[in-house]
Amino acid sequence: VSGPLSKKASFFFDVQNRNVQNNGAISAVVLDPNFNQIPFAQTVPSPASRTVLGPRLDYQLTPTNTLSVTYQFWREHQDNQGIGQFALASQGYTLHSLQHIVRVNDTQVIGSRIVNETHFQTMQQAYVQTPASQLPEINVIGAFTGGGSNEGNLNYHHHHYEVDNDTSISLNKHYVKFGARLRTVVEPYLTTGDFNGTYTFSSLNAYQITQRGLGQGLRPAQIAALGGGPNQFTLTVGQPFVRIFAEDTGVYFADDWRLRSNVTLSYGLRFETQNYIGDHADLAPRL
């Protein structure tokens, strides 16, 4: 939907919504309550939905100054992801993402030769992943994968702020452009991938011997002597949370010098600095 609001203002609005009914098809071989090997088939719904909103406003402040404001909203939700083929329903996890973006652009024409543009953007993103089970993952090669997903919990946020200003000047034989940008990014990030641990069995026979042995009260050494037990166990430990704070800024100057009607010399210089590398002053010439 779009149209004028007044002689100096106009708007545009867009909305989207989609719902997708996917399914995870499981085709595996598992053990029944009596530890017998049986084929297993199941279909698990894994729906996904997405909503996007995008309003925009354009306003002419003066005959030579135009302001544009854009907002975007994005929301996505997915259930029972990671399920299918050998991956059983307990392997599922939920994904949820949310995004807000605001952009402001101001364009000003000064006289007949100068154009100044100011841009501001802020982006707020959140991404959350939640497993259906926190139990250790059981990976039986060629048969099934059960227990909790080793994808673990994920909680990620992205806060982005950016402002830049650019000026263009058109002269007789020169087209000069200069400007500056400041950008800040903050990212709290938490992930517990494989914090629940993963047991890997080389075959369904080995897993079958293990389950029967545990049911009989056998010790791990006795189960291993019978040909059971996992052949691998992995576990991730440590600090699951990190917070990143990054800032960078830069200024530049560039010129297109028309030496002749068919020869143009382009040159410029950019200066950049940021907080993550020890070298805080970088010069980038261009010719």
Side-chain angles (χ1 to χ4, degrees), residues 88-269:
L88 304 182
S90 63
Q91 283 281 293
Y93 52 88
T94 298
L95 296 174
H96 183 79
S97 60
L98 189 67
Q99 177 176 271
H100 302 275
I101 300 177
V102 177
R103 295 186 178 97
V104 181
N105 298 321
D106 180 78
T107 303
Q108 186 171 5
V109 179
I110 304 171
S112 61
R113 297 178 179 272
I114 301 175
V115 177
N116 180 264
E117 297 177 281
T118 301
H119 310 279
F120 170 78
Q121 174 179 269
T122 177
M123 181 186 304
Q124 310 295 322
Q125 295 175 310
Y127 187 89
V128 178
Q129 174 179 290
T130 306
S133 172
Q134 301 287 348
L135 293 174
E137 179 173 288
I138 307 297
N139 180 19
V140 181
I141 296 175
F144 72 91
T145 302
S149 171
N150 65 5
E151 295 285 339
N153 289 286
L154 175 63
N155 197 318
Y156 167 73
H157 293 263
H158 177 88
H159 308 282
H160 180 111
Y161 306 92
E162 181 176 341
V163 60
D164 65 84
N165 182 271
D166 302 286
T167 300
S168 303
I169 304 175
S170 178
L171 304 173
N172 291 333
K173 293 186 177 183
H174 295 267
Y175 183 76
V176 177
K177 193 170 183 178
F178 57 89
R181 181 188 69 184
L182 174 64
R183 181 171 55 184
T184 299
V185 174
V186 181
E187 292 184 342
Y189 191 100
L190 182 144
T191 177
T192 59
D194 205 31
F195 271 54
N196 57 332
T198 299
Y199 291 95
T200 300
F201 292 82
S202 60
S203 67
L204 185 57
N205 289 333
Y207 180 72
Q208 184 181 40
I209 294 170
T210 303
Q211 292 300 101
R212 283 177 174 169
L214 292 174
Q216 297 169 3
L218 299 182
R219 295 191 302 271
Q222 294 174 307
I223 294 175
L226 295 173
N231 65 322
Q232 180 177 287
F233 174 72
T234 62
L235 178 69
T236 298
V237 297
Q239 171 57 261
F241 177 79
V242 63
R243 183 178 183 273
I244 298 172
F245 175 77
E247 279 187 316
D248 71 90
T249 187
V251 295
Y252 76 94
F253 170 85
D255 180 26
D256 291 335
W257 180 12
R258 189 179 181 189
L259 298 173
R260 298 176 58 181
S261 61
N262 61 346
V263 178
T264 299
L265 178 65
S266 298
Y267 57 95
L269 181 66

Side-chain angles (χ1 to χ4, degrees), residues 249 270-275 277-284:
T249 187
R270 179 182 293 271
F271 171 85
E272 294 180 324
T273 183
Q274 50 74 55
N275 67 322
I277 300 176
D279 180 8
H280 294 292
D282 293 305
L283 291 173

Side-chain angles (χ1 to χ4, degrees), residues 56-114:
R56 170 176 170 164
L57 174 68
D58 295 314
Y59 187 76
Q60 189 176 29
L61 299 173
T62 69
T64 59
N65 193 352
T66 303
L67 179 70
S68 297
V69 180
T70 304
Y71 169 70
Q72 185 181 69
F73 170 85
W74 176 294
R75 180 186 181 276
E76 190 164 4
H77 187 85
Q78 302 176 58
D79 287 320
N80 292 328
Q81 299 300 295
I83 298 174
Q85 197 173 1
F86 292 152
L88 304 182
S90 63
Q91 283 281 293
Y93 52 88
T94 298
L95 296 174
H96 183 79
S97 60
L98 189 67
Q99 177 176 271
H100 302 275
I101 300 177
V102 177
R103 295 186 178 97
V104 181
N105 298 321
D106 180 78
T107 303
Q108 186 171 5
V109 179
I110 304 171
S112 61
R113 297 178 179 272
I114 301 175

